[in-house]
Amino acid sequence: MGYNVLKELWAFRKSFIFWFVPIAACPLPIYFGVAETDFYKEAACAYVVIIMAFYWMFEVVPLAVTALIPLILYPVMGVQPSGDVSKNYLKDTNVLFIGGLLVAVAIEHVNLHKRIALGVLLVVGSQPRWLMLGFMLATAFLSMWISNTATTAMMTPIGAAVLAELFKDEDKLAKEVEGESNEAVELDAIDVEGKPPEYDNVVAENGEAVTEQQETKPPEVQIVNEKESSRRQSMQKGLMLCIAYAANIGGTATLTGTGPNLIVSEQMEIIFPDSPGIDFATWFFFAAPGMVITLILAWLWLSTLFVGCRCAEDCACCGQKKRSGAEDVIRKAYDELGPISFAEGAVIFHFVLLVFLWFFRELKFVDLGEKQAGWTYFFIPGYVTDATTAMIVAFALFMFPSRPPRFLCCRGKDDEEKPGPVPGLLDWPTVHTKMPWHIVLLLGGGFALADGVEKSGLSAWLGQQFSKLAGIEAWTICLIVCIGVAVFTEVASNVTATSIFIPILAQMARGVCMNPYFLMVPAGIAASFGFMLPVATPPNAIVFSYGGIKVSDMVKTGFFMNITSLLVLMVMINTLGVPIYDINTFPSWANDTSTPCF
């Protein structure tokens, strides 16, 4: 009876949190609204922050819906007028993200992402260890430019199909050795977009792996089958986790790779308007080397844990080179894409153009006085941003033809179609279907929350409280902060973690007289280090839903990944952070009259 009651209460936990949190926290604004009115705005803002933190953490309502709370509570409680709150939902950073998403949609629309992934897999080969590396390289590269969720959703079924063919190939080779069959290896059609295929082994109700016709086989054969089944399950877990972790890691390398990066950039401009800010190039030069190192260490850890240390057998140089069914299925899937189409080539051109324009917009290491070096030298300083660049390329995608022009002399002799313009690389129905609009609202909600913290005076009060930590070493504070953010993001989305912590960390840096880059940039990257739980990130949830992976597997593997990633991050911020962000000095633009450091 008691168990059923608890089970039913658990089913209504979201409804309970929805009502309990606002009611439990309401004495905060009530008390300061009556007894100490001078602190009312700060208290009201803290009340909104508490509600949003719990709603985001437990997903009481959809995350994007929670992001709309500042539009309701800030005006009602007198924190900010509605007009000021609304401006945060389509700021320059949101526009940059939209432009990047439009280019990502174009890449998916012409199947260029699949060509890149399969091409990488063909290069690395079909041995399990190198397959894992190939999937990680392809996933990490794609997640730098398109959403981590879309990348994982595409790579996971491909990985399942490759594994199925690899196991099938091993079974047929084993039968040939036993003399049971000398038939040539033939491949069945594999649907890489479907569910993961069923392998030979099944799992009994007691959790032990068994195989078909187990009861009729000798005991020694059963032992061999159980070992083989365990090895295959281990390989399946390893490959799926490789895809999820590579998606999480790859998104940290570029400013548009994942939401937390953009939140750090935007908060730097909001809280420190006189700062140099963070653009695409500076973020990439800092984060990309760390991403590569973390990815390599992740591959070494996962391949050792799930494949073993049989380096000589797996090495393409030392081991015996042989063509396997897994390699055949990859080659078959790649060949089905055909040669690079006109549309794919056009998208590649626009993608390269976008990256080129981002990198060379402003060359901050070149001093030209009032003018900024780079192609924006010819425009009014400060007017053209990374968002402008993204919009230029995104707009061009709707106009650039997806097929060769069919105008006058450009029409072929055998072209019998009615004259007229060809469709563009992108069309609005495609964008409407594939565009993750909820992320734009989620980012806007984070910006609105942080803006309210700044305008209400809550951030200044926090800065005064954190000034008591001034005696602690800067790297120690940075390490503690990154660990806290990484732990928090295990139970909440990474956008939620950064939306809550980044404004607080900015004031902490000001309070202890640290360079704000020293805390804000590592914290933003650490928010993507959610490796231990399925709910930590969408990639984790996707691979977990495919089956075969237990929570204990993810916790055991992800714990070491968290430690390794944070150590690499600490090394990067204390090395590359010095020339890129000058973290060893406290800049004048971060000084505040409430907590003066000069």
Side-chain angles (χ1 to χ4, degrees), residues 251-584:
T252 63
T254 60
L255 190 60
T256 57
T258 186
N261 306 352
L262 291 167
I263 290 176
V264 173
S265 175
E266 181 62 26
Q267 293 310 309
M268 184 63 70
E269 294 183 8
I270 292 176
I271 302 174
F272 306 106
D274 297 328
S275 69
I278 299 175
D279 58 14
F280 186 91
T282 55
W283 183 279
F284 181 84
F285 288 136
F286 171 75
M291 183 275 288
V292 173
I293 295 173
T294 305
L295 193 70
I296 294 174
L297 293 176
W299 169 63
L300 292 174
W301 165 242
L302 291 170
S303 61
T304 302
L305 185 64
F306 293 102
V307 177
C309 300
R310 298 170 296 176
C311 300
E313 297 179 15
D314 293 338
C315 180
C317 300
C318 305
Q320 182 181 1
K321 181 66 178 176
K322 56 184 179 180
R323 188 178 180 87
S324 68
E327 190 173 345
D328 287 337
V329 77
I330 297 171
R331 170 64 65 182
K332 180 181 178 182
Y334 186 84
D335 291 341
E336 287 177 352
L337 296 176
I340 296 181
S341 64
F342 181 87
E344 288 178 279
V347 171
I348 292 175
F349 167 77
H350 284 83
F351 171 73
V352 173
L353 176 63
L354 176 61
V355 175
F356 180 85
L357 293 175
W358 269 339
F359 273 113
F360 294 97
R361 180 178 66 86
E362 291 183 356
L363 303 178
K364 295 186 176 181
F365 55 87
V366 179
D367 187 10
L368 295 181
E370 295 182 359
K371 286 283 188 176
Q372 188 73 48
W375 61 267
T376 55
Y377 176 87
F378 303 99
F379 302 94
I380 300 176
Y383 275 47
V384 178
T385 65
D386 284 337
T388 311
T389 305
M391 283 295 109
I392 292 172
V393 176
F395 187 86
L397 290 171
F398 288 90
M399 296 300 299
F400 200 91
S402 58
R403 298 196 302 270
R406 300 171 52 250
F407 180 70
L408 298 179
C409 61
C410 297
R411 289 173 57 87
K413 295 181 179 180
D414 300 330
D415 190 353
E416 299 180 354
E417 292 187 30
K418 184 179 179 181
V422 298
L425 293 171
L426 269 184
D427 56 76
W428 190 251
T430 301
V431 173
H432 178 73
T433 303
K434 295 185 176 182
M435 189 79 161
W437 297 106
H438 65 284
I439 300 296
V440 179
L441 282 179
L442 189 56
L443 285 175
F447 297 153
L449 181 69
D451 190 43
V453 171
E454 174 72 14
K455 298 295 175 55
S456 67
L458 179 61
S459 61
W461 179 82
L462 290 172
Q464 293 175 355
Q465 309 309 309
F466 287 128
S467 62
K468 302 173 184 177
L469 303 175
I472 303 177
E473 291 287 339
W475 69 268
T476 305
I477 297 177
C478 181
L479 178 60
I480 295 173
V481 163
C482 290
I483 292 174
V485 173
V487 171
F488 185 80
T489 199
E490 295 289 350
V491 295
S493 74
N494 51 13
V495 174
T496 299
T498 46
S499 298
I500 294 172
F501 283 107
I502 292 301
I504 298 175
L505 295 178
Q507 299 307 323
M508 176 186 288
R510 180 177 276 168
V512 298
C513 299
M514 283 177 59
N515 191 315
Y517 287 111
F518 204 169
L519 290 183
M520 297 173 69
V521 173
I525 295 176
S528 296
F529 293 158
F531 302 115
M532 293 178 60
L533 294 175
V535 298
T537 63
N540 293 10
I542 290 173
V543 299
F544 184 79
S545 66
Y546 255 71
I549 299 177
K550 301 177 182 178
V551 175
S552 57
D553 297 324
M554 195 168 283
V555 170
K556 177 181 66 175
T557 310
F559 180 74
F560 181 83
M561 281 294 306
N562 274 36
I563 295 176
T564 303
S565 303
L566 290 173
L567 288 177
V568 172
L569 181 58
M570 289 299 101
V571 172
M572 290 296 106
I573 191 61
N574 286 283
T575 53
L576 286 179
V578 176
I580 295 177
Y581 295 121
D582 195 19
I583 61 169
N584 290 335

Side-chain angles (χ1 to χ4, degrees), residues 136-200:
M136 293 187 76
L137 291 176
T139 304
F141 177 78
L142 291 173
S143 65
M144 290 168 60
W145 313 105
I146 66 179
S147 73
N148 302 346
T149 305
T151 302
T152 309
M154 181 201 71
M155 295 298 294
T156 303
I158 294 177
V162 169
L163 276 178
E165 204 60 37
L166 181 66
F167 296 156
K168 184 189 299 183
D169 187 60
E170 290 179 356
D171 291 340
K172 291 190 177 182
L173 289 175
K175 289 181 180 179
E176 289 179 4
V177 172
E178 294 174 3
E180 297 179 6
S181 172
N182 291 319
E183 297 178 359
V185 177
E186 297 180 358
L187 299 178
D188 296 332
I190 299 292
D191 179 14
V192 298
E193 301 294 339
K195 292 291 183 183
E198 296 291 337
Y199 302 133
D200 292 338

Side-chain angles (χ1 to χ4, degrees), residues 4-75:
N4 292 333
V5 171
L6 291 176
K7 186 177 181 181
E8 189 164 341
L9 289 175
W10 179 253
F12 285 90
R13 64 188 182 280
K14 292 184 178 180
S15 300
F16 173 77
I17 294 172
F18 178 82
W19 292 107
F20 175 78
V21 172
I23 294 174
C26 69
L28 183 64
I30 292 175
Y31 171 78
F32 286 100
V34 175
E36 299 182 25
T37 55
D38 292 342
F39 197 73
Y40 170 73
K41 274 195 175 183
E42 292 88 337
C45 182
Y47 177 72
V48 177
V49 171
I50 292 172
I51 293 176
M52 293 186 68
F54 276 93
Y55 281 16
W56 265 335
M57 189 184 308
F58 295 98
E59 294 189 42
V60 176
V61 292
L63 298 179
V65 177
T66 301
L68 300 175
I69 288 179
L71 284 170
I72 303 172
L73 294 185
Y74 275 175

